[in-house]
Amino acid sequence: QVQLVESGGGLVQPGGSLRLSCAASGTIFSISTMGWYRQAPGNQRELVATITEDYITNYAESMKGRFVISRDNAKNTIYLQMFSLKPEDTAVYSCHADYISTNMGLLKDYWGQGTQVTVSS
């Protein structure tokens, strides 16, 4: 069974940093574009950043300069390094994959369960 498992969330003070990881497990041949999304209470889910299999990145405008997405294809893992965190960054951060090629076929629109990030003093 293929899973996307996020880790690294937690409580951090304003101005602090945090690094999230999302590891895909299972028998995986390749993964296309992956990304991070977030959802705060009462808000819709929003894009944070995406990264293609060829390491091309895209960021939501408000995240540029503070968040960095990266990827390790050998480990089927993506990361989100977050700097200068603000209380408004508090949300559940979820990992997403457009397509995952597996021994059971092609999986589409795959999500992790999410990890909570809370920015508070």
Side-chain angles (χ1 to χ4, degrees):
Q1 183 178 359
V2 173
Q3 288 185 308
L4 296 177
V5 180
E6 299 98 335
S7 60
L11 174 64
V12 62
Q13 291 188 341
S17 300
L18 210 57
R19 189 194 194 209
L20 306 182
S21 300
C22 170
S25 63
T27 303
I28 295 170
F29 302 136
S30 65
I31 308 176
S32 66
T33 298
M34 299 184 73
W36 290 97
Y37 293 76
R38 70 183 188 184
Q39 186 168 20
N43 289 358
Q44 290 187 336
R45 184 163 56 197
E46 62 175 345
L47 167 73
V48 175
T50 61
I51 185 167
T52 70
E53 195 172 2
D54 297 328
Y55 307 104
I56 297 170
T57 60
N58 177 60
Y59 295 89
E61 198 63 36
S62 62
M63 319 294 175
K64 288 181 180 178
R66 294 194 303 123
F67 292 3
V68 179
I69 189 170
S70 60
R71 178 172 183 153
D72 185 337
N73 285 337
K75 295 181 179 180
N76 291 324
T77 299
I78 63 169
Y79 307 93
L80 184 69
Q81 179 68 56
M82 303 184 289
F83 302 98
S84 302
L85 284 163
K86 307 172 184 179
E88 50 264 43
D89 293 318
T90 295
V92 174
Y93 285 70
S94 298
C95 175
H96 175 265
D98 284 359
Y99 295 95
I100 305 176
S101 177
T102 77
N103 62 326
M104 295 187 298
L106 190 65
L107 305 178
K108 302 177 184 179
D109 196 24
Y110 223 70
W111 290 92
Q113 82 288 350
T115 185
Q116 177 70 45
V117 171
T118 302
V119 184
S120 175
S121 55

